[in-house]
Amino acid sequence: MEDILEEESGEEEVLGSSLTMEKVAAAKQYIENHYRAQMKNIQERKERRWILERKLAASDVPKEEQINLIKDLERKETEFMRLKRHRICVDDFELLTIIGRGAFGEVRLCREKKSGNIYAMKKLKKSEMLKRGQVEHVRAERNLLAEVASHCIVKLYYSFQDAEYLYLIMEYLPGGDVMTLLMREDTLSENVAKFYIAQSVLAIESIHKHNYIHRDIKPDNLLLDKNGHMKLSDFGLCKPLDCRTLPAIHENKTMDDENMTEPMDIDGCFPDADDKSSWRSPREQLQHWQMNRRKLAFSTVGTPDYIAPEVLLKKGYGMECDWWSLGAIMYEMLVGYPPFYSDDPITTCRKIVNWRNQLRFPEDARLSPEAKDLIYRLLCDVEHRLGTGGAHEIKVHPWFKDIVWDKLYEMEAAFKPEVNGELDTQNFMKFDELDPPAQARTGSGSSRKMLTTKDLSFVGYTYKNFDAVKALHGESRAGYSTKRTTEDSEMQMLTSSGDPMLP
């Protein structure tokens, strides 16, 4: 009996020791992240001051106004420090309409109670992230949004966590996504497609400069603001394609029409498809894609239509895979459906890895030679793919000859979405409430007294953007005088160091 008790006591000591070590590791990581962030904040504060002083020195702003602008910056820096000490939690926001849902969580419209500003709140369940091995993905997404300062990318204002969920508070883009646009328009003219492909090039280039690969470029993740300008995001809440469940895919195995037997008519909408033909008429192909695209995008399997062959073949891949995805989107914009479409994901994957035999244009597709050439040079092997040597390879392609790249976000957008007010969600899908919005979650952010072992994977997730201070003092709610509002506007322009339009 004593031996049993001693053995149980030993197991408890080992277990206790293991838990203690995990908590020590979590605390160590938390402290390191905290002081690293402190040093970074000090450096960023110095840079904002230096940038403002440099801009003022090169401007014609009177001396008195320069002094006021510097004081305004100092005031906002003080408010930012106060904001960073505030323990942001879900209770700081009024939860509104759901605009996206997937396997890991949801995206919903929300209103910040203090400022009244409208944001998009992305909420991810921690246990699902851990169970599905998505910790690195969600951490990379948070880091990308926090580090990449570009108006081609959706802006992150806050990130925080509580015991059950991770939260990303981002700008709300009410124009919907490019997939919704394509569903409404069927196809786009080359001029309209060129505008959005060009803005996509700038967005992808901005993340590549920070050594990030998006890996999930698709129409769902290209969002439109109220003016119709496009920003890159990652609302990939549907389960990504799990390549481990696919049978072996061989790059050099040919796929002749005779052995193509994918179930293209599982919905029974085309009764004359008994011949198992893999290539419908363009009109039938378009109709079938329109009926299935939303179902495929939000299915438990996901859609592989935009995935590069090197990703599917697990040969190792780099930033070039994003340019393949862009080529597939360009094809869809101009033709009406993706280049390797099938309602069977396995067949789509096989078509992609055998792209040499499968890439073709419908005979009645009225594409310019330049458009076809660009698609061919994006949907090809890595060694010959445009963009492998940098985005400039794509920018100088003849199809973009009339694009003024540094003015692209200043010009009128090719398509202006209908938006009626800041709470308008008509450009997004409708989602029913599964459970009432859960307010009053305690223990959010740094207010937790002790990190649990589950939180070890998400240490350092909390983030606050300096622009959140500006958002707290927006023109409509600030209560400042007209002169003060003008100065705030000028200072925002002068201190926007992340703006790619600035030298």
Side-chain angles (χ1 to χ4, degrees):
M1 185 67 179
E2 291 180 359
D3 291 341
I4 294 175
L5 291 175
E6 288 179 3
E7 184 176 337
E8 289 179 349
S9 176
E11 289 178 355
E12 288 177 1
E13 287 181 5
V14 171
L15 180 60
S17 177
S18 175
L19 291 173
T20 300
M21 291 305 294
E22 288 184 6
K23 290 181 178 181
V24 168
K28 179 175 181 290
Q29 188 176 345
Y30 176 82
I31 293 170
E32 289 176 351
N33 288 342
H34 175 75
Y35 283 102
R36 189 182 300 115
Q38 288 291 90
M39 297 303 296
K40 182 180 179 183
N41 290 335
I42 293 172
Q43 182 62 32
E44 289 177 347
R45 182 169 182 163
K46 289 179 180 178
E47 288 178 1
R48 285 192 289 267
R49 175 69 177 245
W50 177 80
I51 288 170
L52 176 58
E53 291 176 343
R54 187 186 65 164
K55 300 293 183 184
L56 290 174
S59 69
D60 297 326
V61 178
K63 190 68 176 179
E64 183 179 352
E65 289 187 26
Q66 290 189 24
I67 294 173
N68 288 335
L69 287 169
I70 291 175
K71 287 182 178 179
D72 281 344
L73 176 61
E74 292 172 348
R75 172 177 57 82
K76 282 186 168 58
E77 294 289 3
T78 300
E79 291 173 355
F80 185 47
M81 292 175 66
R82 188 178 297 116
L83 175 65
K84 289 185 75 65
R85 289 194 296 269
H86 173 66
R87 294 165 180 171
I88 299 290
C89 69
V90 71
D91 288 339
D92 292 318
F93 302 89
E94 178 188 356
L95 306 184
L96 306 171
T97 312
I98 298 176
I99 58 175
R101 178 180 287 137
F104 301 148
E106 66 183 24
V107 180
R108 85 163 59 230
L109 208 61
C110 69
R111 189 198 312 270
E112 188 174 23
K113 293 177 180 178
K114 183 176 180 180
S115 69
N117 291 320
I118 302 300
Y119 297 108
M121 172 188 285
K122 183 172 181 177
K123 172 182 168 184
L124 301 170
K125 193 169 182 63
K126 283 183 178 180
S127 58
E128 289 297 316
M129 297 291 103
L130 292 165
K131 183 169 68 176
R132 299 172 186 260
Q134 292 293 306
V135 172
E136 288 303 318
H137 172 81
V138 74
R139 185 184 294 155
E141 178 186 24
R142 177 265 185 209
N143 292 343
L144 185 154
L145 291 172
E147 293 175 23
V148 180
S150 167
H151 55 213
C152 307
I153 305 295
V154 64
K155 180 177 289 186
L156 175 67
Y157 286 93
Y158 308 105
S159 63
F160 55 92
Q161 60 181 298
D162 58 27
E164 300 296 328
Y165 295 98
L166 302 171
Y167 300 89
L168 293 168
I169 306 298
M170 299 172 287
E171 65 176 319
Y172 172 51
L173 301 177
D177 56 38
V178 170
M179 179 165 68
T180 301
L181 174 61
L182 291 174
M183 290 178 71
R184 290 175 179 173
E185 302 295 323
D186 290 347
T187 60
L188 304 180
S189 69
E190 286 203 23
N191 284 335
V192 174
K194 187 182 302 181
F195 177 83
Y196 288 116
I197 292 297
Q199 289 200 332
S200 301
V201 169
L202 293 181
I204 296 171
E205 180 184 31
S206 68
I207 65 172
H208 285 183
K209 284 181 177 178
H210 287 76
N211 297 315
Y212 284 102
I213 310 172
H214 194 285
R215 288 183 290 260
D216 197 22
I217 304 290
K218 56 185 179 182
D220 324 36
N221 291 333
L222 303 178
L223 305 182
L224 303 180
D225 65 18
K226 63 181 180 180
N227 297 315
H229 287 279
M230 194 223 72
K231 298 193 179 189
L232 179 62
S233 183
D234 182 10
F235 288 84
L237 296 182
C238 59
K239 182 181 178 182
L241 182 74
D242 187 355
C243 296
R244 294 171 300 178
T245 64
L246 295 175
I249 300 175
H250 302 289
E251 183 177 13
N252 299 319
K253 182 179 179 181
T254 60
M255 294 182 66
D256 300 326
D257 285 347
E258 289 76 13
N259 57 42
M260 291 284 286
T261 58
E262 74 271 18
M264 293 289 285
D265 281 288
I266 55 172
D267 51 12
C269 293
F270 292 92
D272 59 342
D274 295 333
D275 60 352
K276 302 289 185 181
S277 172
S278 64
W279 189 256
R280 302 176 184 276
S281 71
R283 187 62 192 167
E284 287 178 331
Q285 187 87 342
L286 176 59
Q287 287 177 322
H288 199 268
W289 172 241
Q290 289 171 335
M291 287 185 292
N292 284 276
R293 68 194 313 169
R294 281 288 183 189
K295 179 173 66 178
L296 287 169
F298 294 100
S299 70
T300 56
V301 178
T303 173
D305 285 280
Y306 313 98
I307 299 178
E310 62 268 22
V311 178
L312 294 174
L313 292 168
K314 307 173 191 176
K315 289 184 171 182
Y317 56 89
M319 297 176 182
E320 306 83 17
C321 69
D322 288 340
W323 300 124
W324 170 284
S325 302
L326 187 65
I329 293 172
M330 180 179 168
Y331 182 105
E332 180 180 350
M333 285 181 172
L334 298 176
V335 175
Y337 46 84
F340 309 103
Y341 169 62
S342 166
D343 58 14
D344 170 27
I346 296 176
T347 302
T348 298
C349 292
R350 287 174 176 159
K351 285 183 175 182
I352 290 172
V353 299
N354 288 279
W355 58 267
R356 291 177 178 84
N357 300 320
Q358 297 299 318
L359 179 59
R360 66 184 91 173
F361 290 91
E363 292 181 1
D364 61 348
R366 298 176 180 177
L367 276 63
S368 67
E370 292 82 7
K372 284 187 176 181
D373 180 74
L374 179 55
I375 291 173
Y376 278 129
R377 299 185 69 180
L378 291 173
L379 300 180
C380 63
D381 57 87
V382 173
E383 291 74 18
H384 299 95
R385 190 178 305 162
L386 285 184
T388 300
H392 66 276
E393 295 180 345
I394 301 174
K395 291 180 177 180
V396 299
H397 189 276
W399 195 59
F400 292 118
K401 65 179 183 298
D402 55 346
I403 292 292
V404 183
W405 291 95
D406 60 351
K407 301 293 184 183
L408 199 54
Y409 276 83
E410 297 176 14
M411 63 184 292
E412 185 176 349
F415 168 80
K416 187 174 177 63
E418 182 179 348
V419 177
N420 301 316
E422 61 180 1
L423 296 178
D424 190 0
T425 60
Q426 65 175 301
N427 295 305
F428 291 90
M429 285 185 66
K430 307 300 181 186
F431 294 88
D432 295 329
E433 290 281 357
L434 298 179
D435 299 300
Q439 296 281 8
R441 285 194 178 275
T442 58
S444 177
S446 58
S447 62
R448 291 191 311 277
K449 293 182 179 180
M450 186 62 198
L451 293 171
T452 66
T453 54
K454 182 171 68 174
D455 294 320
L456 179 60
S457 299
F458 304 107
V459 168
Y461 192 79
T462 301
Y463 169 80
K464 300 182 183 74
N465 192 321
F466 180 72
D467 286 343
V469 175
K470 299 173 186 175
L472 285 171
H473 297 277
E475 286 187 21
S476 61
R477 304 181 181 92
Y480 296 148
S481 67
T482 303
K483 181 175 184 295
R484 174 72 63 163
T485 301
T486 302
E487 289 174 352
D488 285 351
S489 178
E490 290 176 351
M491 189 185 69
Q492 181 166 348
M493 176 186 69
L494 291 167
T495 58
S496 296
S497 58
D499 191 331
M501 296 300 179
L502 296 176

